Amino acid sequence: MFKELLALRDKIDEVDQSILSLIIKRLALVAEVGEVKSKYGIPIYDPQREADMLAKRRQEAKEQGISPVLMEDILRRLMRESYISENDKGFKKVYSGQGSIVIVGGNGQMGRLFARLFTLSGYQVKTLGSKTMHQAAEVVTDAAAVIMTVPINKTCEIIKQLPPLPKDCILTDLTSIKAKPLQEMLDKHQGPVVGLHPMFGPDVPNLAKQIIVYCQGRDPAKYQWLIEQMRIWGANLCAIDAKEHDKCMSFIQALRHFTSFSYGVNLQREQADLEKLIVLSSPIYRLELMMIGRLFAQDPELYADIIMASDDNIELIKRYYNCFGKMVEVIEERDKAKFVDNFNEVSKWFGNYAKHFIKESQALLKLANDNRE
Amino acid sequence: MFKELLALRDKIDEVDQSILSLIIKRLALVAEVGEVKSKYGIPIYDPQREADMLAKRRQEAKEQGISPVLMEDILRRLMRESYISENDKGFKKVYSGQGSIVIVGGNGQMGRLFARLFTLSGYQVKTLGSKTMHQAAEVVTDAAAVIMTVPINKTCEIIKQLPPLPKDCILTDLTSIKAKPLQEMLDKHQGPVVGLHPMFGPDVPNLAKQIIVYCQGRDPAKYQWLIEQMRIWGANLCAIDAKEHDKCMSFIQALRHFTSFSYGVNLQREQADLEKLIVLSSPIYRLELMMIGRLFAQDPELYADIIMASDDNIELIKRYYNCFGKMVEVIEERDKAKFVDNFNEVSKWFGNYAKHFIKESQALLKLANDNRE
């Protein structure tokens, strides 16, 4: 019995080794692509090429009788790695002038990420921190862009402290709220102004497909090069009105983080048996426990500031609290019909997204299960 | 410029095609493994073999200068597919007797999944539905096992309605609460009894690594073959006391589902701009929106029943509601210090899991991003 099995396993090991060498070959080719792209300033993320290529491979997989989804999953995983190695080759510098990039708060994680990307694109990057702010006036004299990336609750005050900037210098920020800082920057600087919000953490391997929101301030023509530069890094730039952005962020950040926070506080106060919960987890519950637990490995100050950043946030959270209370009444009264009515209303509101999310989450839940030991 | 790029892309396409043929070869070998395993009754999931193989491949990847994580991700994805094709080959039948498997509620999704697995393992499977219950007495005469998989709120009442079962027939259920149905089954039947709770949905591709909880009822020696049969399907069997199980499920199911439910109700009542929220989503928020949206593509009755299954569930939810209210007060008072204190207490409570969840969720968030169009 074991002979049969071991013989087959040896063959599988051989196949896996050949797969490994093909992966190495592919990454080498991709690195060459990266050089060509950086030479000609082509964005590292090319949606059309990616779609065409995946369609072809899916078709070939079908024809040869294997799951097209399997082939696509594996290629997408390879492409993620590819973006990293394309990254290493550096990027084309879009800005034709001589000025440097000044990052205020450049020692923070997000500041370091942007400093690295600008450096990889051939810019001279200078950083200002709390200890070096007194040299700001001299540091910004040749600035092509000044990027604010300081704690959300200090942003406006530090913008006020900025020295006068060169006439055509871009003033921008990476804060997760946009209306207030944008106004502050417009008051401070008469030149080009744009508000940015990177919708990702500083730990991303690269910017391929990552979303960066930008809010129009002043002189779009003069900050266009900065937008283009970020596109070349692979980012997906989305323009939106600052107030609308902030309204969405009350949901995406304040309400969501506060909910996870309270959920965690409750688990702890209930002294839930975490080990047992994890052992008994379905893939989906493990995922949800993960989303809550991960919050508490991060900086409490940051989350306090994001949640308390505006009265609108707190009002939204209070309305959620009330809505939650009404639903608690429904189940206290064991009012199944009313529960179902509410449920169906929400289903209608989610429309096709509900079904779509089921399908999309399948892939994630399967991965969560793959990675189980 | 395009010449250079196109030449490289052709080479990449060639490599991808060779990868495809290797994958086909691998799946064919795995199918043979499946035949050997089913012949000798070896479980399709072999943790040790999987760990050894991954360790070897990671090592080879390192030595050849590519990311061991990349190699592991790709192999895990291939292995998931492998479990499916091992599945197709059928499974060894552990039970040596002649009796059939009777699934009460066999037309439900979970019932159909188990019917398929028993059939693939060479058992004769009979099903009973609401329309055929009157034939129960005759259907169960030769039953080796009777499996209850009916809506949670009907389980106990339908157990009562069962006809007398053969002396050595196993009586078991797949309900997501265990204490009550287990007692009901013990009262009903004097032979072997065990309570089961599959911790996964009926849409899993196979049972590899999936958790099935079992709660001791009566005559373990006589229901052991059923446990072994599920192990051969690849499942991970966890024994737990019924009351402890139910306590955990109040957290894992009732509280969690109710929270997602209320969150969805609130989004709908706020008339949040779903399209915009999705466009602006960070990978992590998209994941969280997904986890909420997916609930509303499912059966409201089922979730109503799960949440209202016990007074303990409702008490737990009310305590969470109170805790949530206390945290709302903290942010209303803009009491950052208190927020941070609470946060840190929870971080301490999560211990190393918080950091671990960050790492684990990275893989998922990256996948969520890979799959973006």
Side-chain angles (χ1 to χ4, degrees):
Chain A
M1 176 272 268
F2 271 108
K3 271 243 211 70
E4 289 175 66
L5 209 52
L6 292 179
L8 286 167
R9 286 179 171 178
D10 288 343
K11 285 187 192 161
I12 290 174
D13 288 350
E14 280 168 32
V15 171
D16 288 345
Q17 279 153 355
S18 322
I19 292 176
L20 175 59
S21 9
L22 282 171
I23 290 174
I24 291 165
K25 194 169 164 194
R26 192 185 201 278
L27 290 175
L29 287 166
V30 164
E32 290 184 52
V33 170
E35 277 166 20
V36 176
K37 282 186 177 177
S38 87
K39 192 165 69 191
Y40 297 104
I42 307 165
I44 67 167
Y45 173 48
D46 179 345
Q48 197 47 51
R49 154 70 178 167
E50 188 170 300
D52 296 346
M53 190 259 267
L54 286 173
K56 253 193 270 163
R57 295 291 95 79
R58 288 180 63 101
Q59 187 50 35
E60 291 159 3
K62 262 210 214 90
E63 285 160 2
Q64 302 185 52
I66 81 154
S67 154
V69 180
L70 170 66
M71 195 60 200
E72 177 166 354
D73 288 348
I74 287 176
L75 285 174
R76 284 191 185 277
R77 181 62 186 88
L78 281 170
M79 286 187 286
R80 183 204 308 168
E81 211 71 13
S82 308
Y83 293 128
I84 301 174
S85 36
E86 287 192 24
N87 221 338
D88 300 341
K89 302 297 152 190
F91 302 98
K92 186 191 181 203
K93 183 182 178 188
V94 174
Y95 181 62
S96 48
Q98 291 309 310
S100 63
I101 306 293
V102 176
I103 301 182
V104 182
N107 304 326
Q109 285 179 293
M110 196 55 94
R112 288 206 301 276
L113 172 63
F114 276 79
R116 183 165 62 78
L117 290 163
F118 277 110
T119 308
L120 276 168
S121 313
Y123 293 83
Q124 196 206 349
V125 175
K126 302 174 180 175
T127 62
L128 282 169
S130 44
K131 292 181 197 56
T132 51
M133 273 308 277
H134 59 279
Q135 308 161 350
E138 156 198 344
V139 170
V140 302
T141 43
D142 79 328
V146 171
I147 303 173
M148 309 293 302
T149 169
V150 297
I152 180 169
N153 58 329
K154 296 206 183 73
T155 306
C156 290
E157 144 202 352
I158 296 179
I159 291 171
K160 279 203 189 74
Q161 295 167 17
L162 285 175
L165 309 176
K167 183 171 127 298
D168 288 344
C169 170
I170 301 170
L171 178 56
T172 187
D173 75 312
L174 307 181
T175 320
S176 62
I177 51 168
K178 296 264 64 71
K180 280 189 206 161
L182 189 61
Q183 192 49 56
E184 202 64 48
M185 292 192 293
L186 286 166
D187 296 345
K188 179 74 195 184
H189 179 51
Q190 294 314 303
V193 170
V194 60
L196 300 174
H197 183 191
M199 298 306 301
F200 47 85
D203 52 2
V204 294
N206 61 73
L207 262 52
K209 303 187 194 183
Q210 298 289 1
I211 291 167
I212 299 178
V213 167
Y214 69 101
C215 302
Q216 152 93 290
R218 185 190 297 123
D219 286 351
K222 286 185 176 164
Y223 64 68
Q224 197 52 37
W225 66 263
L226 179 58
I227 304 294
E228 283 315 311
Q229 188 66 65
M230 295 187 286
R231 284 216 176 93
I232 284 178
W233 294 340
N236 175 356
L237 276 290
C238 300
I240 183 174
D241 167 77
K243 286 195 172 51
E244 273 187 13
H245 165 277
D246 291 356
K247 203 170 163 218
C248 289
M249 286 310 134
S250 293
F251 284 99
I252 292 182
Q253 298 191 307
L255 180 59
R256 194 62 224 168
H257 294 327
F258 182 79
T259 311
S260 302
F261 166 71
S262 312
Y263 200 88
V265 171
N266 184 62
L267 281 176
Q268 176 249 326
R269 294 194 175 177
E270 290 279 342
Q271 287 301 307
D273 185 337
L274 193 52
E275 268 82 7
K276 211 164 260 145
L277 289 183
I278 289 170
V279 173
L280 295 184
S281 286
S282 59
I284 184 161
Y285 184 72
R286 189 183 176 92
L287 194 59
E288 289 176 320
L289 204 53
M290 210 189 289
M291 287 299 133
I292 289 156
R294 79 189 301 284
L295 178 76
F296 294 93
Q298 300 175 64
D299 174 14
E301 305 259 338
L302 173 68
Y303 286 98
D305 291 336
I306 290 176
I307 291 166
M308 303 185 205
S310 76
D311 298 347
D312 294 348
N313 288 354
I314 288 166
E315 286 313 310
L316 177 65
I317 289 165
K318 279 165 67 180
R319 289 199 301 277
Y320 172 56
Y321 174 59
N322 294 332
C323 173
F324 194 98
K326 289 202 187 69
M327 294 305 114
V328 170
E329 285 168 21
V330 172
I331 59 165
E332 263 193 285
E333 293 155 7
R334 304 289 200 282
D335 191 340
K336 188 170 169 180
K338 199 165 178 185
F339 180 96
V340 171
D341 290 344
N342 279 291
F343 193 105
N344 289 332
E345 265 184 57
V346 181
S347 305
K348 222 180 294 136
W349 181 76
F350 267 105
N352 295 330
Y353 282 114
K355 279 196 185 55
H356 174 78
F357 283 145
I358 288 254
K359 270 185 63 189
E360 192 174 344
S361 56
Q362 284 309 332
L364 293 173
L365 297 174
K366 283 177 185 152
L367 184 84
N369 200 50
D370 291 349
N371 294 344
R372 272 194 192 162
E373 262 84 42
Chain B
M1 176 274 266
F2 272 111
K3 270 241 211 68
E4 288 175 66
L5 209 51
L6 292 179
L8 286 167
R9 285 178 171 177
D10 289 343
K11 284 187 193 162
I12 290 174
D13 289 349
E14 280 168 32
V15 171
D16 289 346
Q17 279 152 357
S18 322
I19 291 176
L20 176 60
S21 7
L22 283 171
I23 291 174
I24 291 166
K25 194 169 166 195
R26 192 185 203 279
L27 290 175
L29 288 167
V30 165
E32 290 185 51
V33 170
E35 277 165 19
V36 176
K37 283 187 178 175
S38 88
K39 193 165 67 190
Y40 297 102
I42 307 164
I44 67 166
Y45 173 48
D46 179 347
Q48 197 48 51
R49 153 71 177 169
E50 189 172 299
D52 296 346
M53 191 259 268
L54 286 173
K56 252 193 272 163
R57 296 289 95 79
R58 288 179 62 100
Q59 187 50 36
E60 289 160 4
K62 260 210 217 91
E63 286 160 2
Q64 302 186 52
I66 81 154
S67 155
V69 181
L70 170 66
M71 195 60 200
E72 176 166 353
D73 287 349
I74 287 177
L75 285 174
R76 284 190 185 278
R77 181 61 186 88
L78 281 170
M79 284 186 287
R80 183 203 308 166
E81 209 71 13
S82 308
Y83 293 129
I84 300 175
S85 38
E86 287 192 24
N87 223 336
D88 301 340
K89 301 296 150 192
F91 302 97
K92 186 191 180 204
K93 183 183 177 187
V94 175
Y95 181 62
S96 49
Q98 290 311 312
S100 63
I101 306 292
V102 176
I103 302 181
V104 181
N107 304 325
Q109 286 180 293
M110 196 53 94
R112 287 204 301 276
L113 172 62
F114 276 78
R116 184 165 61 77
L117 290 164
F118 277 109
T119 308
L120 276 169
S121 313
Y123 293 84
Q124 196 205 348
V125 176
K126 303 173 180 175
T127 62
L128 283 169
S130 42
K131 293 181 196 57
T132 50
M133 273 309 276
H134 59 280
Q135 308 163 350
E138 160 197 343
V139 170
V140 302
T141 43
D142 78 329
V146 170
I147 303 172
M148 308 292 304
T149 169
V150 297
I152 180 170
N153 59 328
K154 296 205 182 73
T155 306
C156 289
E157 142 203 352
I158 296 179
I159 291 170
K160 279 205 190 74
Q161 295 165 17
L162 285 175
L165 307 176
K167 184 170 128 299
D168 288 343
C169 170
I170 301 170
L171 179 56
T172 186
D173 75 310
L174 307 181
T175 320
S176 63
I177 51 168
K178 295 266 62 74
K180 281 189 207 159
L182 189 60
Q183 192 50 57
E184 202 63 49
M185 292 191 293
L186 285 166
D187 297 344
K188 179 74 196 183
H189 178 52
Q190 293 314 306
V193 170
V194 59
L196 300 174
H197 183 191
M199 298 306 301
F200 48 84
D203 51 2
V204 293
N206 60 75
L207 262 51
K209 304 186 193 183
Q210 298 290 1
I211 291 167
I212 299 178
V213 168
Y214 69 100
C215 302
Q216 150 92 289
R218 187 190 295 123
D219 285 352
K222 287 186 177 165
Y223 64 68
Q224 197 53 37
W225 65 264
L226 180 58
I227 303 293
E228 282 315 311
Q229 188 65 66
M230 295 186 287
R231 284 217 175 90
I232 284 177
W233 295 339
N236 176 354
L237 277 290
C238 300
I240 183 174
D241 167 77
K243 286 196 172 51
E244 272 186 16
H245 165 276
D246 291 356
K247 203 171 163 216
C248 289
M249 286 310 135
S250 294
F251 285 98
I252 292 181
Q253 299 191 307
L255 179 59
R256 195 61 225 170
H257 294 327
F258 182 80
T259 311
S260 302
F261 165 72
S262 314
Y263 199 89
V265 171
N266 184 62
L267 281 175
Q268 176 248 327
R269 295 196 174 175
E270 291 279 342
Q271 287 299 310
D273 184 337
L274 193 51
E275 267 82 5
K276 212 166 257 144
L277 289 183
I278 289 169
V279 173
L280 294 184
S281 287
S282 59
I284 185 161
Y285 184 70
R286 189 183 176 91
L287 195 59
E288 289 176 322
L289 203 54
M290 211 188 287
M291 286 299 132
I292 289 155
R294 79 190 300 284
L295 177 75
F296 293 94
Q298 300 174 65
D299 174 13
E301 306 258 340
L302 173 69
Y303 285 98
D305 291 335
I306 289 176
I307 291 165
M308 304 184 203
S310 76
D311 298 347
D312 294 347
N313 289 353
I314 289 167
E315 286 313 310
L316 177 64
I317 289 165
K318 280 165 68 179
R319 290 199 300 277
Y320 172 57
Y321 175 60
N322 295 332
C323 173
F324 194 99
K326 291 204 187 67
M327 293 306 113
V328 170
E329 283 168 24
V330 172
I331 60 167
E332 264 193 284
E333 293 156 7
R334 302 289 200 285
D335 191 340
K336 189 170 168 180
K338 199 165 176 185
F339 179 96
V340 171
D341 290 344
N342 279 292
F343 193 105
N344 289 333
E345 264 183 59
V346 181
S347 304
K348 222 180 293 134
W349 181 77
F350 266 104
N352 296 330
Y353 282 113
K355 280 198 185 54
H356 175 79
F357 283 145
I358 287 256
K359 271 184 62 189
E360 192 174 344
S361 55
Q362 284 310 332
L364 293 172
L365 297 174
K366 284 179 185 148
L367 184 84
N369 199 49
D370 291 349
N371 294 345
R372 272 195 192 159
E373 262 84 41

